[in-house]
């Protein structure tokens, strides 16, 4: 896959690659994403956060097809209700990626956590998440 947006579930719910610099993925505005309060549903936000962390890893490992990442844990803090389209940014440093690469080289497997922030189209900070991945070299 060239992007996690091509995965069946992510495609089904409409996750897109973000077009703005510095942003990763985007969930467009739509009534199908709303909860009982008329704001973006928690599950839609979690799906965007998980997909964004996966996209970040996919871009990091672009040259290497022989790794298999699997989500182990997601911790999320819902900050404020989201309205309209929602975009993601990644807050993980290059040090974390360097440690990930070192662990994979040394042990053939690694655990890493990717920090994801979600903001809605008005700039409201909707969610902060840490997505922990188990990654194994084949």
């Amino acid at each position: 896959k060239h992007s996690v947006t091509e995965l069946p579930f992510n495609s089904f719910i409409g996750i897109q690659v973000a077009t703005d610099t510095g942003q990763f993925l985007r969930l467009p505005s739509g009534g199908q994403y709303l909860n009982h309060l008329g704001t973006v549903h928690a599950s839609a936000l979690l799906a965007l956060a998980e997909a964004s962390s996966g996209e970040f890893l996919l871009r990091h490992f672009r040259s290497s097809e022989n790794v298999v990442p699997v989500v182990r844990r997601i911790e999320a803090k819902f900050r404020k209700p989201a309205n309209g389209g929602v975009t993601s940014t990644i807050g993980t440093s290059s040090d974390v990626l360097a440690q990930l690469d070192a662990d994979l080289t040394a042990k053939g497997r690694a655990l890493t956590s990717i920090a994801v922030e979600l903001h809605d189209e008005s700039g409201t900070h909707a969610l902060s998440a840490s997505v922990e991945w188990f990654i194994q070299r084949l």
Side-chain angles (χ1 to χ4, degrees):
K1 302 281 181 202
H2 300 296
S3 169
V4 299
T5 59
E6 297 170 30
L7 294 171
F9 179 77
N10 293 338
S11 174
F12 172 72
I13 65 168
I15 294 175
Q16 306 166 346
V17 174
T19 52
D20 292 352
T21 305
Q23 295 178 343
F24 259 73
L25 298 180
R26 177 172 193 281
L27 191 68
S29 179
Q32 70 271 35
Y33 302 119
L34 303 183
N35 60 21
H36 62 293
L37 302 173
T39 58
V40 180
H41 195 283
S43 294
L45 295 174
L46 286 172
L48 179 60
E50 185 275 341
S52 298
S53 68
E55 180 73 13
F56 179 73
L57 288 174
L58 186 65
R59 292 181 192 181
H60 175 66
F61 290 120
R62 182 67 69 202
S63 61
S64 174
E65 296 279 326
N66 62 345
V67 293
V68 178
V70 179
V71 173
R72 290 266 314 252
R73 173 188 320 246
I74 296 178
E75 285 187 25
K77 171 140 178 78
F78 297 92
R79 298 191 171 277
K80 292 191 175 155
N83 292 286
V86 181
T87 55
S88 63
T89 56
I90 302 293
T92 297
S93 71
S94 56
D95 295 352
V96 170
L97 293 176
Q99 185 62 55
L100 168 60
D101 292 341
D103 290 348
L104 278 173
T105 299
K107 298 182 274 186
R109 64 191 188 290
L111 275 177
T112 194
S113 287
I114 307 301
V116 182
E117 304 297 335
L118 301 184
H119 291 82
D120 73 10
E121 59 193 37
S122 72
T124 298
H125 191 184
L127 180 135
S128 295
S130 175
V131 185
E132 183 183 77
W133 290 84
F134 173 74
I135 302 165
Q136 191 160 13
R137 206 175 274 296
L138 294 177

